Amino acid sequence: MADPNFLSTPRRPRERRAPQERVRDWNEVNAERRLLPIIGGQAGRCMDCGIPFCHSACPLGNLIPDWNFLVSREEWANASAHLHATNNFPEFTGRLCPAPCESACVLAINADPVTIKNVEAAIADQAWQLGLETPRPPARLSGRTVAVIGSGPAGLAAAQQLTREGHATTVYERADRLGGLLRYGIPSFRLEKRLLDRRIDQLRAEGTRFHTGVEAGRDLSGEELLARFDAIVLAVGATARRDLPVPGRELDGIHQAMEYLPLANRVQEGDFARSPICAEGRHVVIVGGGDTAADCLGTALRQNAACVTQLDINPRPDDSRADDQPWPVHPKVYRLTASHEEARARPVPDHDAASAAPDDRRLFSAATLRFEDDGRGRVRALHCAEVEPAQRRPRAGTDREIRAELVLLALGFTGTERGSTLMRQLGLELDAAGNLARGRDFATGTTGVFVAGDAGRGQSLIVWAIAEGRAAAAAVDRYLTGSTALSAPIAATDRPLVL
Ligand SMILES: Cc1cc2nc3c(=O)[nH]c(=O)nc-3n(C[C@H](O)[C@H](O)[C@H](O)COP(=O)(O)OP(=O)(O)OC[C@H]3O[C@@H](n4cnc5c(N)ncnc54)[C@H](O)[C@@H]3O)c2cc1C
Ligand code: SF4
């Protein structure tokens, strides 16, 4: 056990670069070199509790107290082995996970929790830095073949597990580059794509084969897949977007976030000099309150928008846990993301003062009523009103107009694509929530076809996608060989204690 120094060492979060500096580039917001010198002391705050709630709050079952102890002693190789035993991609979760483990840390009952996510990122980065993350190809091949459809975190985790187990695994991705939402959703200022490429190179060196620009159901039929492979894992994501059916929705200048963000990411990949949907010089309104909305905000600021306002229909959460969200659940609290920090650091233009949102540019309890035309078919303004929290109905007399030349809809996703050709060809069905129907063991009604990630769970998190990929791989391995040594951290029906 580490010498628990939480009484003498305060929690110290990872430092970010100054907002004014980082909005001028697209590099990671974190100050890279500032983490290593403090992380041993932070890991040493762990009490190594008898029952580590953090461990069960992590969908991957990460062995948190074990690696905290090892990091406090700078035993990086051992820490990396413990971390990679449960998590294929800790450099992604260490940067992007909302860290339900920290909400469940026993210290969080009456003090500041251990910075678990930062310890995870430090181990992952050190593992690469020290050359520990070498490819691990299988010792022998099983003679079985698996197709994985989709290359987001669920598909990549499933592929890595299955390849390492000796099954010849091929990933088909319809986009031109691999990575799913890690590539074209999440901006590079939160995940530099070199980290994704490095991991994909590792998978490739282990023997996973990749084909991009191949849409299963169109370029490769379900029947062909069933004939060519012993098993299929569908990790096609939950890409059906929620819309905003209010008057004026059809005007030019109103886009879905997932039309806007991929183009901005493509500029970083070198596909365009300037995004075809660019916020530069425009008044931007983002409708929605989650990660996607925050990514639109950070992107619009980097594109030099004249002004950005974000509307969230939910009320402003409390600063600390509400009574109905007791420890160890992951509570809904007010969080200042890196993008909101950047918005706060930016002076609000004078001419915008009338419609000004608070200093982080977020209006809570705000519902969009309609969009205004500029007379030429383009959006000019958005009308919104305060909503009653319970009924979500606009409150009379609270209507306000916000100048809007670019509107981004970040309202979440309603499930997987309805009635796709691939679904029909494989004889698959949707469940009541609009996801691909499957049993507890990730198997669908069609023999040999499994579903992993957002496609089966609905819009979720990277940590759940990796856990799903690992668990689905174990189910596939058992289906192919009759038993499995692969770990299955979750069942398809498990639900998070995340609100
Ligand atoms: C903007 C944004 C920001 C986010 N930020 C965070 C965050 O900070 N932290 C977090 O934990 N989660 C975040 N999420 C959620 C997270 O990205 C997803 O939960 C996760 O990527 C789901 O992984 P997946 O592998 O199931 O699906 P995806 O990542 O969606 O990958 C599915 C892949 O399947 C491919 N595909 C679909 N159909 C076919 C077909 N027929 N043939 C071939 N390929 C196909 C798609 O092109 C895609 O590449 C964010 C989501 C968005 C949109
Ligand atoms: S993956 Fe997420 S929940 Fe698990 S240990 Fe890392 S930060 Fe915590």
Side-chain angles (χ1 to χ4, degrees):
M1 168 179 165
D3 174 21
N5 58 10
F6 61 89
L7 291 174
S8 55
T9 306
R11 174 180 162 107
R12 210 169 138 190
R14 182 171 199 177
E15 262 182 65
R16 293 173 181 150
R17 294 188 289 134
Q20 296 86 343
E21 173 204 327
R22 66 188 195 235
V23 286
R24 290 202 294 268
D25 63 50
W26 294 80
N27 302 332
E28 187 171 317
V29 295
N30 295 311
E32 204 182 330
R33 296 209 185 94
R34 308 247 175 93
L35 182 58
L36 210 52
I38 61 163
I39 206 65
Q42 292 298 305
R45 294 181 72 241
C46 177
M47 295 188 285
D48 194 14
C49 309
I51 300 176
F53 286 84
C54 56
H55 168 92
S56 19
C58 172
L60 287 162
N62 273 350
L63 306 168
I64 297 163
D66 300 61
W67 36 259
N68 276 335
F69 171 64
L70 293 164
V71 168
S72 71
R73 293 163 57 116
E74 295 193 30
E75 292 188 28
W76 294 109
N78 209 350
S80 167
H82 277 73
L83 178 54
H84 285 94
T86 58
N87 188 352
N88 298 65
F89 313 129
E91 65 276 31
F92 307 156
T93 46
R95 287 173 169 78
L96 302 168
C97 187
C101 55
E102 293 186 18
S103 301
C105 172
V106 173
L107 269 179
I109 297 173
N110 63 352
D112 291 330
V114 175
T115 54
I116 299 170
K117 170 176 163 176
N118 295 347
V119 178
E120 182 174 32
I123 302 171
D125 290 355
Q126 276 292 88
W128 283 103
Q129 182 73 28
L130 300 173
L132 302 169
E133 255 318 278
T134 49
R136 283 193 271 145
R140 59 180 183 81
L141 295 177
S142 67
R144 307 299 169 98
T145 56
V146 184
V148 174
I149 314 301
S151 67
L156 291 178
Q160 185 161 58
Q161 294 292 94
L162 289 163
T163 298
R164 287 179 172 178
E165 212 49 26
H167 307 305
T169 304
T170 308
V171 177
Y172 294 99
E173 169 55 59
R174 73 176 166 194
D176 56 347
R177 292 187 181 90
L178 299 165
L181 291 174
L182 297 174
R183 172 78 61 187
Y184 284 135
I186 294 165
S188 55
F189 54 83
R190 289 208 299 131
L191 180 74
E192 290 183 9
K193 305 311 163 195
R194 66 186 170 86
L195 306 187
L196 180 56
D197 291 333
R198 183 176 69 179
R199 204 39 106 166
I200 291 166
D201 286 347
Q202 182 196 43
L203 266 75
R204 210 174 254 126
E206 288 168 350
T208 300
R209 271 180 285 185
F210 292 99
H211 295 287
T212 51
V214 178
E215 180 170 339
R218 191 193 64 183
D219 305 312
L220 189 60
S221 72
E223 293 84 355
E224 278 174 283
L225 285 165
L226 286 169
R228 276 164 56 178
F229 293 94
D230 297 316
I232 301 168
V233 179
L234 295 177
V236 292
T239 46
R241 305 151 188 167
R242 192 166 285 121
D243 215 305
L244 187 62
V246 298
R249 165 66 183 91
E250 71 292 346
L251 294 172
D252 284 348
I254 304 174
H255 299 274
Q256 284 283 353
M258 280 305 293
E259 291 165 355
Y260 172 68
L261 292 172
L263 291 172
N265 273 317
R266 282 185 180 282
V267 172
Q268 300 312 308
E269 297 277 0
D271 294 350
F272 309 106
R274 184 180 191 271
S275 172
I277 307 175
C278 187
E280 189 176 355
R282 290 178 170 175
H283 280 65
V284 179
V285 179
I286 300 160
V287 186
D291 281 333
T292 307
D295 284 344
C296 289
L297 175 62
T299 301
L301 292 173
R302 282 165 179 74
Q303 289 176 342
N304 272 322
C307 181
V308 193
T309 309
Q310 184 191 339
L311 306 183
D312 189 337
I313 197 164
N314 296 302
R316 185 192 186 282
D318 292 338
D319 289 320
S320 54
R321 272 181 201 284
D323 290 344
D324 61 349
Q325 299 168 37
W327 179 90
V329 298
H330 188 61
K332 260 198 182 121
V333 290
Y334 175 80
R335 294 175 212 274
L336 195 70
T337 68
S339 298
H340 293 103
E341 214 174 64
E342 290 157 7
R344 222 153 76 158
R346 196 176 197 237
V348 175
D350 283 349
H351 61 267
D352 186 54
S355 69
D359 62 357
D360 70 357
R361 307 301 302 156
R362 250 185 299 189
L363 284 176
F364 288 100
S365 300
T368 307
L369 305 176
R370 64 183 189 281
F371 299 106
E372 290 275 351
D373 193 333
D374 71 349
R376 284 164 297 159
R378 258 202 92 81
V379 66
R380 175 190 73 73
L382 172 153
H383 283 260
C384 66
E386 274 175 37
V387 280
E388 307 278 358
Q391 300 93 353
R392 291 201 165 187
R393 269 204 301 269
R395 210 175 259 150
T398 61
D399 187 338
R400 70 195 284 184
E401 182 182 297
I402 301 178
R403 184 172 168 188
E405 290 136 1
L406 174 65
V407 176
L408 302 170
L409 306 179
L411 299 160
F413 301 84
T414 56
T416 197
E417 283 158 31
R418 308 286 186 275
S420 71
T421 322
L422 183 63
M423 265 186 71
R424 273 204 315 279
Q425 291 167 347
L426 291 175
L428 305 181
E429 292 182 356
L430 294 180
D431 63 18
N435 306 313
L436 288 177
R438 57 189 185 165
R440 253 181 84 74
D441 62 351
F442 302 86
T444 65
T446 303
T447 307
V449 180
F450 297 76
V451 172
D454 280 8
R457 172 166 295 274
Q459 180 195 6
S460 184
L461 296 171
I462 292 158
V463 62
W464 279 98
I466 300 172
E468 288 248 341
R470 290 174 69 84
V476 169
D477 189 35
R478 190 176 305 106
Y479 165 76
L480 293 175
T481 66
S483 65
T484 186
L486 290 176
S487 77
I490 53 165
T493 45
D494 286 352
R495 288 287 168 251
L497 267 180
V498 179
L499 297 167

